């Protein structure tokens, strides 16, 4: 009985540390381990719940941007045909794959900047809802980058596709937009 109580106490302590832990907002981009608990804040952005994201989606005034990376192509035997697995998004979203890494090469950074300019028509106050998956630093990084470029309507949705799906909201299959010349 004593051993069971000790085991239960250790399990409760460990799970409490994992679930009750707060993550401080870093001053710069997250550069590794992107699938990890995220902070509750992003300076310069409005952070929204699933309910708030749904209302923005229903109102239709915000641009929803998914920044989840494309799945890497596996090492396959020569001649094997590979198809990317289907990707579900919040309906009407634009999938700007791979722009949420902490460090972007100049071409990808330029493509992301140009994509935002095109989507907003150059309106830096336009509402941009940036998301990927739950506990994903990619959306935090991408939203932070947009704020750094002067966008003032940045909205970060940390619940991502999982939060949306858990609320039984609709999803649609999406293909990523790609920089010119990239397949």
């Amino acid at each position: 009985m004593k051993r069971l109580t000790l085991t239960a106490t250790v399990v409760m302590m460990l799970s409490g540390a994992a679930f009750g832990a707060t993550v401080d907002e870093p001053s710069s981009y997250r550069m590794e381990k992107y699938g990890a608990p995220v902070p509750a804040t992003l300076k310069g952005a409005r952070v929204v719940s699933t309910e708030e994201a749904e209302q923005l989606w229903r109102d239709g005034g915000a641009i929803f941007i998914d920044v989840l990376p494309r799945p890497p192509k596996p090492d396959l035997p020569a001649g094997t045909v590979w198809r990317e697995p289907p990707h579900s998004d919040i309906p009407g979203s634009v999938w700007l794959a791979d722009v949420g890494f902490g460090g972007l090469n100049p071409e990808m950074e330029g493509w992301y900047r140009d994509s935002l300019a095109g989507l907003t028509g150059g309106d830096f106050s336009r509402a941009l809802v940036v998301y990927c998956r739950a506990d994903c630093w990619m959306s935090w990084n991408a939203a932070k980058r947009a704020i750094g470029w002067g966008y003032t309507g940045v909205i970060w949705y940390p619940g991502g596709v999982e939060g949306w799906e858990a609320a039984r909201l609709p999803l649609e299959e999406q293909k990523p937009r790609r920089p010119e010349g990239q397949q």
Side-chain angles (χ1 to χ4, degrees):
M1 182 68 162
K2 194 174 195 178
R3 182 181 176 105
L4 181 61
T5 305
L6 178 60
T7 302
T9 303
V10 169
V11 168
M12 285 174 39
M13 287 172 53
L14 290 175
S15 62
F19 293 117
T22 58
V23 177
D24 291 333
E25 183 176 329
S27 59
S28 191
Y29 302 111
R30 176 78 172 229
M31 301 298 282
E32 62 182 4
K33 298 180 183 170
Y34 298 107
V38 294
T41 60
L42 173 54
K43 186 177 179 181
R46 179 176 153 208
V47 181
V48 295
S49 66
T50 298
E51 293 78 21
E52 292 166 310
E54 178 187 7
Q55 190 59 55
L56 289 163
W57 176 73
R58 291 196 186 283
D59 291 345
I63 300 167
F64 279 70
I65 301 171
D66 181 1
V67 300
L68 187 71
R70 289 174 61 193
K73 184 177 179 180
D75 188 24
L76 299 169
T80 303
V81 176
W82 183 73
R83 290 184 177 79
E84 284 187 23
H87 176 76
S88 294
D89 257 336
I90 297 170
S93 293
V94 177
W95 184 14
L96 299 180
D98 303 322
V99 300
F101 289 102
L104 297 179
N105 66 42
E107 292 80 20
M108 185 59 83
E109 187 170 324
W111 178 75
Y112 180 35
R113 186 187 293 248
D114 291 346
S115 295
L116 290 182
L119 290 167
T120 63
D123 180 357
F124 280 70
S125 66
R126 184 78 190 270
L128 300 170
V129 179
V130 181
Y131 71 95
C132 58
R133 305 185 74 94
D135 285 332
C136 178
W137 281 86
M138 295 280 182
S139 59
W140 192 92
N141 283 343
K144 182 175 181 64
R145 190 164 272 117
I147 293 163
W149 291 333
Y151 285 90
T152 59
V154 177
I155 301 165
W156 178 45
Y157 173 41
V161 170
E162 285 90 354
W164 192 265
E165 187 173 31
R168 297 188 172 177
L169 294 165
L171 294 168
E172 71 179 6
E173 192 170 320
Q174 188 68 261
K175 300 286 184 209
R177 287 197 182 179
R178 298 182 174 116
E180 215 171 287
Q182 198 182 79
Q183 295 193 26

